[in-house]
Amino acid sequence: MTADKILIVEDEAPIREMIAFHLGRAGYETVEAANCGAARELLADERPDLALIDWMLPDMSGLELTRMLKRDSQNSDLAIIMLTARADEFDKIAGLESGADDYVTKPFSPRELIARIQAVLRRAKGDNDETVEAGVLALDAAGHRVTACGREVRLGPTEYRLLKFLITHPDRVFSRAQLLDRVWGANVYVEERTVDVHIRRLRKALASESASDYIQTVRGAGYRFSTRNP
Ligand code: CA
């Protein structure tokens, strides 16, 4: 099992280093950013599981960064905990409305912070382990199985990841470049044609249960998963 990766976005170095130290001791992998610009670069390269984002940052507020990340489909799976010195109820609500999953007020103890991180990650993963059903298909993420009309569909690892991504983001068009980023990872340099190859294999695997129509080509734009007719 790989350690969960946490991105710490905090401009005050002593606080950032203190957090990284305690998270490291608790078994997490950490990456650090001193501002929003650096955080956004790290997000693409490191793909963290969770981001701790301080409210007060030099280039943009942590609140704006959270809003931006939650709107961006590239980061929609990222769990976010906001860190702030502001304790009043108004800011707490603003923090959660921005899309943050939780909120920790400074000063906090390392133990409290780690407990919140564990809870948010557990929740985020719980969602991912649910069985997703669409039309005749069911994808059981915990068991890593796909069935169509109750019969098991055999998929290669890439086809499985591709289907898992598409079935959990239905009725939305993704370009080949977006699929490469989301399914293969931002740092993998493969040609966009590769996406077409795996889409073809996925359709073939689903064809016997007439579920291949769910994987739809949108001319000039990319691919979409939908149980409705194109
Ligand atoms: Ca700060």
Side-chain angles (χ1 to χ4, degrees), residues 14-225:
I15 298 178
R16 194 175 66 233
E17 284 157 15
M18 182 274 287
I19 294 172
F21 170 77
H22 286 287
L23 294 187
R25 242 180 30 170
Y28 293 105
E29 199 182 321
T30 58
V31 277
E32 300 175 38
N35 55 55
C36 297
R40 295 179 68 191
E41 278 176 31
L42 281 172
L43 280 165
D45 291 343
E46 301 277 349
R47 306 203 68 74
D49 300 284
L50 183 145
L52 292 174
I53 300 179
D54 187 41
W55 188 296
M56 301 293 277
L57 291 164
D59 47 349
M60 188 194 280
S61 81
L63 195 65
E64 283 174 82
L65 177 64
T66 300
R67 269 199 206 109
M68 183 182 288
L69 295 179
K70 287 287 178 178
R71 266 202 309 262
D72 179 1
S73 66
Q74 305 271 332
N75 300 299
S76 57
D77 299 336
L78 177 72
I80 297 179
I81 296 180
M82 296 225 30
L83 302 177
T84 177
R86 306 166 183 222
D88 67 2
E89 209 51 31
F90 173 79
D91 289 332
K92 187 167 177 173
I93 290 164
L96 294 176
E97 277 180 348
S98 71
D101 299 274
D102 204 353
Y103 183 96
V104 176
T105 306
K106 292 176 182 174
F108 49 81
S109 70
R111 187 192 282 180
E112 181 192 355
L113 179 64
I114 288 165
R116 297 290 193 93
I117 289 173
Q118 284 171 339
V120 167
L121 285 175
R122 214 167 26 236
R123 228 158 50 210
K125 293 206 172 115
D127 292 344
N128 291 341
D129 282 350
E130 275 172 18
T131 297
V132 186
E133 291 182 15
V136 300
L137 286 180
L139 184 142
D140 161 21
H144 223 270
R145 277 158 52 98
V146 176
T147 55
C149 302
R151 283 183 289 275
E152 182 154 8
V153 178
R154 294 215 161 266
L155 295 176
T158 304
E159 286 72 54
Y160 174 82
R161 285 207 309 277
L162 188 56
L163 178 63
K164 185 179 177 188
F165 176 74
L166 289 171
I167 203 171
T168 52
H169 300 83
D171 299 305
R172 271 166 55 188
V173 182
F174 293 95
S175 68
R176 289 167 180 80
Q178 285 174 323
L179 288 173
L180 282 177
D181 270 3
R182 301 295 301 271
V183 178
W184 278 259
N187 277 336
V188 180
Y189 295 99
V190 288
E191 291 177 60
E192 295 195 354
R193 251 202 328 242
T194 307
V195 176
D196 303 331
V197 172
H198 290 280
I199 287 277
R200 213 151 44 228
R201 286 189 198 157
L202 180 57
R203 279 195 180 127
K204 202 171 157 198
L206 298 176
S208 61
E209 308 296 344
S210 59
S212 55
D213 294 349
Y214 297 169
I215 314 292
Q216 300 170 358
T217 303
V218 181
R219 278 186 87 89
Y223 294 104
R224 166 179 62 207
F225 180 95

